[in-house]
Amino acid sequence: ERKIVFKVIREVLKCFSKNLGNKIYNKLTSHYRKKRENVIPNYHLHLISKINPDVIIAPDLSHDLPEKYNIMNDLHEVMYYINSEVDLEVKKAQEKDLERAKGIICVTPQIAHKFYNKFYEEGKVIVIPNAPLLSLCPKKTNFEGSDKVKFLVHGNLHGDLEVKEYLSVNFIKAFIKTNSKAILYLRYMNNRSDQVKDIKKLFSEETKAGKIVFLNPIHGGITKEIQNTMKEFDVGIIISPVNFSPMYKIASPNRLGTYLHSGLAVLHNESEFVKQTVQEANAGICFGESEEDIISKVNYLCEHPEELKQMKINAYKFAKETFNYDNYGKSLIKMIENIK
């Protein structure tokens, strides 16, 4: 939405002066890009300056950048090129930008193969999931549980879908019918305060009874302090809106890395990359859409404490050894070094 506004401003200003329109647009987008670059991990700055200062990593397509630059496109979870909602001319422009790029970064192999397979086969695509830096991984040595099993939903709400549809409300409706050992903790971003109020109203009795606990909202991204508080929980929950957008089926949600680095088992719905990662780590289980299946999976984790403990150990081990930016960033370093 922000980028659309920027482009409208540019086109209006270009009616008076083409140079002025482009100058203002570049100023606006450079501020946006700097903001994006400061999101973990900050490889845009330190890797390029140390390895190959002639490379620019653009968090978008490259048509506004001069031809003299060596461009890598950090497309992240953006599904350009084969987007059915854009017209033919836009697709051609997107393909031209991707042809120009020296490298393309996206967050899951599913996105790489589905949307950029042509470039993947050419060796231009690398996959770097949304995995935290190792420096954010809290020290954790105790994986024992207590008499209660603490389930955590952490992160953003996906707009009205969370309140009106399956995502949060239906999950909570099922959860309140589970084993008495299970406690659900909810910690959302503060930008969805109205929707959080709606959820609190729906489950006020369960909140009073202690089955549901609303934690203070978080302001901004993951910090080491927040990551440290998360290691006290047992299970991290990922409820991806896979029925509403194809992106969520193959995306890399930030909370996956956050849970693994905190040594939490992961309880998740059918999202391809999340499922693949959790299975590889042997660090959690997948639940279906039915209320019965949600109840069954929550109860299973409550009734098998030793298995849950091993999942938590596996999650932490997988995060330290594999699912971290320090590991995945090696492919980026190699690609940057080879760009001429």
Side-chain angles (χ1 to χ4, degrees):
E1 291 171 353
R2 186 184 290 113
K3 283 169 58 185
I4 292 170
V5 171
F6 291 164
K7 288 181 179 179
V8 169
I9 292 171
R10 177 181 63 182
E11 294 308 309
V12 170
L13 290 172
K14 281 169 71 173
C15 294
F16 303 96
S17 166
K18 184 176 179 180
N19 289 337
L20 177 63
N22 286 332
K23 186 175 180 181
I24 297 296
Y25 177 77
N26 289 337
K27 187 78 173 174
L28 290 168
T29 53
S30 69
H31 172 75
Y32 172 65
R33 285 171 184 166
K34 282 181 181 177
K35 186 175 180 183
R36 209 31 219 267
E37 287 167 0
N38 286 326
V39 175
I40 300 166
N42 194 1
Y43 56 74
H44 293 73
L45 300 178
H46 74 265
L47 280 185
I48 298 174
S49 62
K50 290 178 180 177
I51 300 170
N52 191 338
D54 296 326
V55 174
I56 287 180
I57 297 186
D60 200 347
L61 294 176
S62 323
H63 49 269
D64 292 309
L65 296 169
E67 289 291 333
K68 64 181 181 179
Y69 292 119
N70 289 317
I71 305 296
M72 289 188 69
N73 288 127
D74 178 13
L75 299 184
H76 209 66
E77 289 171 337
V78 179
M79 299 173 192
Y80 285 121
Y81 185 43
I82 307 182
N83 186 340
S84 60
E85 296 178 2
V86 301
D87 61 36
L88 186 60
E89 289 303 310
V90 174
K91 285 185 179 181
K92 286 180 179 177
Q94 291 173 354
E95 184 173 7
K96 184 178 178 182
D97 279 341
L98 294 174
E99 292 280 3
R100 174 194 171 183
K102 300 290 186 180
I104 299 167
I105 307 166
C106 56
V107 296
T108 69
Q110 287 84 357
I111 291 175
H113 288 297
K114 185 169 184 178
F115 292 92
Y116 307 108
N117 196 53
K118 169 186 174 183
F119 304 103
Y120 189 85
E121 291 174 352
E122 294 172 1
K124 285 175 61 171
V125 180
I126 56 174
V127 175
I128 303 180
N130 288 324
L133 292 159
L134 272 175
S135 59
L136 285 174
C137 192
K139 186 176 181 180
K140 183 166 182 174
T141 56
N142 181 16
F143 296 89
E144 296 292 342
S146 63
D147 57 332
K148 299 292 185 182
V149 181
K150 299 178 180 179
F151 291 76
L152 174 67
V153 173
H154 170 94
N156 212 346
L157 284 162
H158 298 282
D160 290 339
L161 297 177
E162 283 281 3
V163 176
K164 296 178 180 176
E165 304 289 349
Y166 158 72
L167 299 172
S168 278
V169 170
N170 284 5
F171 182 88
I172 298 171
K173 283 179 179 177
F175 192 94
I176 60 180
K177 300 176 184 179
T178 60
N179 193 303
S180 60
K181 289 183 178 181
I183 308 295
L184 181 62
Y185 292 80
L186 302 170
R187 178 161 62 191
Y188 294 120
M189 302 287 280
N190 65 332
N191 62 338
R192 299 292 186 186
S193 56
D194 289 341
Q195 289 156 347
V196 173
K197 285 178 185 176
D198 291 339
I199 294 176
K200 283 182 176 180
K201 285 179 186 177
L202 283 172
F203 301 103
S204 58
E205 292 301 316
E206 291 77 15
T207 303
K208 288 177 185 176
K211 184 69 172 178
I212 300 172
V213 179
F214 285 87
L215 302 173
N216 289 332
I218 50 176
H219 307 270
I222 295 296
T223 63
K224 199 163 187 175
E225 291 71 29
I226 290 175
Q227 193 88 51
N228 256 318
T229 66
M230 297 181 69
K231 65 183 183 181
E232 305 305 321
F233 298 94
D234 299 296
V235 182
I237 298 168
I238 298 177
I239 314 171
S240 298
V242 294
N243 294 331
F244 302 99
S245 169
M247 184 190 81
Y248 290 106
K249 293 180 181 179
I250 55 179
S252 171
N254 288 314
R255 66 189 82 180
L256 173 60
T258 303
Y259 292 154
L260 294 174
H261 278 245
S262 301
L264 307 189
V266 181
L267 178 63
H268 61 92
N269 63 339
E270 288 282 352
S271 177
E272 291 177 29
F273 178 71
V274 174
K275 188 173 185 178
Q276 173 189 317
T277 304
V278 173
Q279 284 180 345
E280 184 181 350
N282 194 16
I285 52 177
C286 178
F287 64 86
E289 293 190 17
S290 71
E291 180 178 275
E292 293 76 15
D293 199 54
I294 294 169
I295 294 170
S296 171
K297 297 300 169 54
V298 171
N299 285 346
Y300 182 88
L301 291 172
C302 292
E303 293 161 4
H304 296 81
E306 287 303 313
E307 190 171 341
L308 174 57
K309 176 184 173 182
Q310 189 59 52
M311 288 178 184
K312 291 159 67 177
I313 293 171
N314 293 345
Y316 191 68
K317 184 173 184 285
F318 189 72
K320 297 280 278 186
E321 294 179 356
T322 304
F323 203 84
N324 60 77
Y325 176 72
D326 306 64
N327 175 43
Y328 293 115
K330 292 173 185 175
S331 59
L332 178 60
I333 293 172
K334 184 176 180 181
M335 181 171 277
I336 292 172
E337 286 175 336
N338 292 332
I339 289 177
K340 300 290 190 289

